[in-house]
mmCIF file of all heavy atoms in Angstrom:
data_model
loop_
_atom_site.group_PDB
_atom_site.id
_atom_site.type_symbol
_atom_site.label_atom_id
_atom_site.label_comp_id
_atom_site.label_asym_id
_atom_site.label_seq_id
_atom_site.Cartn_x
_atom_site.Cartn_y
_atom_site.Cartn_z
ATOM 1 N N PRO A 60 -28.652 18.537 14.872
ATOM 2 C CA PRO A 60 -29.515 17.365 14.972
ATOM 3 C C PRO A 60 -28.733 16.088 14.704
ATOM 4 O O PRO A 60 -27.936 16.019 13.775
ATOM 5 C CB PRO A 60 -30.580 17.608 13.898
ATOM 6 C CG PRO A 60 -29.961 18.590 12.966
ATOM 7 C CD PRO A 60 -29.062 19.447 13.802
ATOM 8 N N GLU A 61 -28.973 15.073 15.546
ATOM 9 C CA GLU A 61 -28.219 13.832 15.402
ATOM 10 C C GLU A 61 -28.768 12.959 14.292
ATOM 11 O O GLU A 61 -28.083 12.060 13.819
ATOM 12 C CB GLU A 61 -28.256 13.065 16.732
ATOM 13 C CG GLU A 61 -27.552 13.812 17.869
ATOM 14 C CD GLU A 61 -27.676 13.097 19.188
ATOM 15 O OE1 GLU A 61 -28.650 12.325 19.345
ATOM 16 O OE2 GLU A 61 -26.824 13.297 20.059
ATOM 17 N N ARG A 62 -29.992 13.208 13.890
ATOM 18 C CA ARG A 62 -30.632 12.334 12.918
ATOM 19 C C ARG A 62 -31.114 13.143 11.730
ATOM 20 O O ARG A 62 -31.969 14.005 11.859
ATOM 21 C CB ARG A 62 -31.799 11.609 13.601
ATOM 22 C CG ARG A 62 -32.556 10.667 12.693
ATOM 23 C CD ARG A 62 -33.677 10.019 13.487
ATOM 24 N NE ARG A 62 -34.522 9.207 12.637
ATOM 25 C CZ ARG A 62 -35.695 8.735 13.019
ATOM 26 N NH1 ARG A 62 -36.133 8.987 14.227
ATOM 27 N NH2 ARG A 62 -36.409 8.007 12.203
ATOM 28 N N GLN A 63 -30.565 12.873 10.566
ATOM 29 C CA GLN A 63 -31.022 13.498 9.323
ATOM 30 C C GLN A 63 -31.845 12.458 8.598
ATOM 31 O O GLN A 63 -31.327 11.635 7.859
ATOM 32 C CB GLN A 63 -29.836 13.950 8.487
ATOM 33 C CG GLN A 63 -28.883 14.846 9.235
ATOM 34 C CD GLN A 63 -29.585 15.964 9.939
ATOM 35 O OE1 GLN A 63 -30.424 16.624 9.351
ATOM 36 N NE2 GLN A 63 -29.271 16.181 11.190
ATOM 37 N N ASP A 64 -33.158 12.464 8.849
ATOM 38 C CA ASP A 64 -33.958 11.313 8.459
ATOM 39 C C ASP A 64 -35.131 11.671 7.577
ATOM 40 O O ASP A 64 -35.320 12.803 7.182
ATOM 41 C CB ASP A 64 -34.457 10.580 9.708
ATOM 42 C CG ASP A 64 -35.304 11.479 10.598
ATOM 43 O OD1 ASP A 64 -35.666 12.592 10.155
ATOM 44 O OD2 ASP A 64 -35.611 11.070 11.715
ATOM 45 N N ALA A 65 -35.915 10.666 7.263
ATOM 46 C CA ALA A 65 -37.064 10.832 6.381
ATOM 47 C C ALA A 65 -38.326 11.209 7.135
ATOM 48 O O ALA A 65 -39.369 11.404 6.531
ATOM 49 C CB ALA A 65 -37.315 9.535 5.614
ATOM 50 N N THR A 66 -38.245 11.339 8.448
ATOM 51 C CA THR A 66 -39.445 11.682 9.209
ATOM 52 C C THR A 66 -39.598 13.178 9.365
ATOM 53 O O THR A 66 -40.628 13.650 9.822
ATOM 54 C CB THR A 66 -39.392 11.061 10.618
ATOM 55 O OG1 THR A 66 -38.380 11.725 11.376
ATOM 56 C CG2 THR A 66 -39.096 9.589 10.554
ATOM 57 N N GLY A 67 -38.546 13.923 9.055
ATOM 58 C CA GLY A 67 -38.590 15.350 9.283
ATOM 59 C C GLY A 67 -38.330 15.698 10.725
ATOM 60 O O GLY A 67 -38.522 16.834 11.129
ATOM 61 N N ALA A 68 -37.875 14.757 11.536
ATOM 62 C CA ALA A 68 -37.624 15.007 12.949
ATOM 63 C C ALA A 68 -36.285 15.699 13.097
ATOM 64 O O ALA A 68 -35.310 15.130 13.575
ATOM 65 C CB ALA A 68 -37.655 13.701 13.730
ATOM 66 N N LEU A 69 -36.235 16.942 12.656
ATOM 67 C CA LEU A 69 -34.994 17.697 12.651
ATOM 68 C C LEU A 69 -35.045 18.792 13.698
ATOM 69 O O LEU A 69 -36.104 19.344 13.997
ATOM 70 C CB LEU A 69 -34.753 18.331 11.274
ATOM 71 C CG LEU A 69 -34.770 17.366 10.088
ATOM 72 C CD1 LEU A 69 -34.637 18.147 8.801
ATOM 73 C CD2 LEU A 69 -33.659 16.354 10.221
ATOM 74 N N ALA A 70 -33.906 19.117 14.249
ATOM 75 C CA ALA A 70 -33.842 20.194 15.225
ATOM 76 C C ALA A 70 -34.100 21.528 14.531
ATOM 77 O O ALA A 70 -34.057 21.623 13.308
ATOM 78 C CB ALA A 70 -32.470 20.201 15.898
ATOM 79 N N ARG A 220 -33.335 19.530 5.409
ATOM 80 C CA ARG A 220 -34.445 20.398 5.780
ATOM 81 C C ARG A 220 -34.986 21.152 4.575
ATOM 82 O O ARG A 220 -36.198 21.283 4.402
ATOM 83 C CB ARG A 220 -34.006 21.394 6.864
ATOM 84 C CG ARG A 220 -35.091 22.407 7.243
ATOM 85 C CD ARG A 220 -34.668 23.272 8.400
ATOM 86 N NE ARG A 220 -34.607 22.481 9.625
ATOM 87 C CZ ARG A 220 -35.678 22.205 10.380
ATOM 88 N NH1 ARG A 220 -36.871 22.618 10.000
ATOM 89 N NH2 ARG A 220 -35.546 21.513 11.475
ATOM 90 N N PRO A 374 -41.473 20.852 8.087
ATOM 91 C CA PRO A 374 -41.135 19.617 8.786
ATOM 92 C C PRO A 374 -42.188 19.134 9.755
ATOM 93 O O PRO A 374 -42.286 17.939 10.004
ATOM 94 C CB PRO A 374 -39.821 19.986 9.499
ATOM 95 C CG PRO A 374 -39.208 21.022 8.648
ATOM 96 C CD PRO A 374 -40.380 21.820 8.108
ATOM 97 N N LEU A 377 -44.265 16.576 8.467
ATOM 98 C CA LEU A 377 -43.623 15.292 8.269
ATOM 99 C C LEU A 377 -43.595 14.464 9.546
ATOM 100 O O LEU A 377 -43.005 13.412 9.595
ATOM 101 C CB LEU A 377 -42.194 15.497 7.791
ATOM 102 C CG LEU A 377 -42.036 16.077 6.386
ATOM 103 C CD1 LEU A 377 -40.610 16.508 6.161
ATOM 104 C CD2 LEU A 377 -42.444 15.072 5.353
ATOM 105 N N GLY A 378 -44.204 14.973 10.583
ATOM 106 C CA GLY A 378 -44.254 14.206 11.812
ATOM 107 C C GLY A 378 -43.180 14.584 12.811
ATOM 108 O O GLY A 378 -42.999 13.920 13.806
ATOM 109 N N GLY A 379 -42.389 15.642 12.523
ATOM 110 C CA GLY A 379 -41.306 16.050 13.418
ATOM 111 C C GLY A 379 -41.801 16.961 14.504
ATOM 112 O O GLY A 379 -42.898 17.447 14.500
#
Side-chain angles (χ1 to χ4, degrees):
E61 296 176 335
R62 180 180 174 193
Q63 306 311 313
D64 59 11
T66 70
L69 305 175
R220 176 174 291 277
L377 292 168

